[in-house]
DNA sequence: GTCTATAGACGGATAGAC
DNA sequence: GTCTATCCGTCTATAGAC
């Protein structure tokens, strides 16, 4: 009955290896070794290597859709916006920095981020996922936040789309730098802090 | 006597394939096919697959060091800064947008950017190159520009390191998006334009 | 479900003729 | 320098015993 358990172990090992070596460079024997079974046994759980990847992407997509802050938030829903009524720029700064620390260290998320990055030119599906998860959904969420804060008078009037980009995209690059050179995390977190504070300072009402 | 010519063709074909498939997933037979020779003939020019990559990286590094605007600029050299004396924020906006269009379309540069991106977790040397070429050198250049424009009174006083990041890093992400989804280039160039203009507007003296 | 054994394709690399 | 032919290893995948 540990079929589903072994299946999950296989998917976890595959994500681990795909995220550093890439799909093509990863051998089924490596995945089998990581799980502790023979490579022929993988075929009891998956039809082949490609199906391991397909299943992995399906699972990542499902988890992302159901858990990510960026897909659940609906600023155009009055009920959602009402719940954010007490948000101040200072509170937003804290929330953003905490969220950054989370997505930086969560094993699933960071491995998925790396895998999508290195496979984006070889696999259209991963290219789409990469754009949606790490660009479009994040920007859409923060564009909503910018509109909200402008309407509340917490931020100066401006182009919400560009403001969201100016807030988020430097952070996107710094996340990538941390993935590439984890030793620089402390330095990068300090930069992010200065960046977010300056953003709200320079875009604030009394700037 | 076309040894050096064939050698260059091999390097060009290798870069072309490595930049989309990655090093491991690219077979010597593919490189040979692209050049129009048999794969055994590759060994007349290189000791093996690894040496093709080594030579390619060496060449990219040499070309980058000798040609890139970001490595040649020395803001701490008074002679260099003096030559920029007539730079206005409006002229800077134009220069930046022109430079973006260049590095977005130059075949060598865009392929190198993609290759370094997808190989960064498998090869330390490429990780270093990626950080230097597409992060550190760019930021250093623009930090110098920010200091210069602040000193000249064209920009409000602020943290030049963070200002450089807020100007450059969104562009870095958008370049990556164009690499991944070339169809969106027009939309992305429009975003870059709005971004750069807003940056100089909001950081300008009379903001 | 996991194992051993093996098929069959393809990878990088070498030898030797031209 | 390029070619054909070949070696040897590893890859994905399958067959069949337990």
């Amino acid at each position: 009955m540990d079929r589903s358990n072994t299946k999950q172990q296989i998917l976890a090992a595959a994500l681990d290896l795909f995220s550093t070596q890439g799909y093509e460079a990863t051998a089924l024997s490596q995945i089998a070794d990581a799980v502790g079974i023979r490579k022929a046994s993988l075929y009891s759980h998956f039809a082949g290597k490609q199906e391991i990847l397909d299943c992995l992407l399906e699972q990542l997509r499902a988890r992302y859709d159901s858990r990510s802050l960026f897909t659940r938030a609906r600023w155009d829903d009055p009920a959602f916006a009402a719940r954010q009524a007490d948000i101040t720029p200072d509170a937003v700064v804290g929330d953003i920095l905490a969220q950054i620390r989370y997505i930086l260290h969560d094993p699933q998320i960071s491995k998925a981020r790396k895998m999508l990055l290195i496979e984006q030119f070889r696999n259209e599906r991963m290219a789409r996922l990469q754009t949606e998860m790490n660009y479009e959904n994040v920007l859409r969420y923060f564009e909503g936040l910018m509109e909200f804060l402008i309407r509340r008078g917490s931020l100066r009037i401006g182009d919400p789309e560009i403001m969201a980009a100016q807030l988020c995209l430097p952070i996107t690059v710094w996340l990538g730098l941390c993935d590439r050179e984890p030793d620089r995390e402390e330095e990068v977190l300090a930069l992010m802090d200065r960046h977010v504070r300056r953003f709200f300072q320079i875009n604030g009402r009394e700037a």
Side-chain angles (χ1 to χ4, degrees), chain A:
Chain A
M1 245 325 129
D2 60 353
R3 166 166 195 163
S4 84
N5 185 31
T6 303
K7 192 162 184 170
Q8 283 309 313
Q9 283 184 267
I10 293 169
L11 290 172
L15 177 59
D16 195 50
L17 291 161
F18 291 165
S19 68
T20 55
Q21 303 179 335
Y23 173 79
E24 292 282 353
T26 297
L28 290 181
S29 58
Q30 291 181 288
I31 299 175
D33 285 351
V35 176
I37 58 178
R38 300 285 103 195
K39 65 176 173 176
S41 305
L42 294 173
Y43 291 87
S44 299
H45 303 274
F46 298 96
K49 190 183 180 183
Q50 183 64 47
E51 204 192 78
I52 295 179
L53 177 61
D54 291 341
C55 193
L56 189 55
L57 292 180
E58 203 177 332
Q59 193 174 83
L60 289 175
R61 150 74 66 188
R63 288 198 185 157
Y64 178 80
D65 285 347
S66 68
R67 295 186 193 177
S68 171
L69 172 68
F70 303 129
T71 51
R72 284 173 316 177
R74 289 281 164 261
W75 292 101
D76 50 2
D77 171 9
F80 176 86
R83 253 175 284 132
Q84 320 296 322
D86 55 347
I87 281 185
T88 66
D90 273 354
V92 171
V93 170
D95 284 354
I96 291 173
L97 294 173
Q99 179 75 3
I100 288 171
R101 280 191 163 75
Y102 172 65
I103 67 175
L104 182 58
H105 292 123
D106 182 272
Q108 288 261 341
I109 295 174
S110 72
K111 286 175 193 167
R113 188 170 57 234
K114 291 162 81 170
M115 182 181 71
L116 295 178
L117 193 73
I118 66 179
E119 293 292 333
Q120 61 181 327
F121 302 127
R122 230 190 33 80
N123 184 310
E124 273 195 39
R125 203 165 148 212
M126 294 210 243
R128 277 309 309 157
L129 266 180
Q130 162 78 345
T131 298
E132 284 180 36
M133 289 171 54
N134 299 322
Y135 178 80
E136 290 172 345
N137 288 345
V138 180
L139 281 189
R140 188 179 308 119
Y141 173 85
F142 279 97
E143 189 180 339
L145 176 63
M146 294 297 115
E147 286 168 354
F148 179 78
L149 291 175
I150 291 169
R151 239 180 294 131
R152 281 200 48 223
S154 298
L155 289 182
R156 278 198 285 173
I157 289 172
D159 180 340
E161 189 179 10
I162 294 300
M163 290 169 72
Q166 291 180 338
L167 175 60
C168 297
L169 301 189
I171 294 169
T172 298
V173 175
W174 281 319
L175 283 175
L177 178 59
C178 283
D179 289 338
R180 185 163 59 248
E181 307 188 26
D183 289 349
R184 298 177 70 169
E185 179 180 318
E186 209 176 337
E187 159 203 352
V188 167
L189 285 173
L191 285 170
M192 290 180 178
D193 192 279
R194 282 155 67 196
H195 158 62
V196 175
R197 290 181 197 286
R198 182 184 165 88
F199 175 88
F200 282 102
Q201 176 200 329
I202 206 165
N203 287 284
R205 258 179 82 193
E206 66 286 344

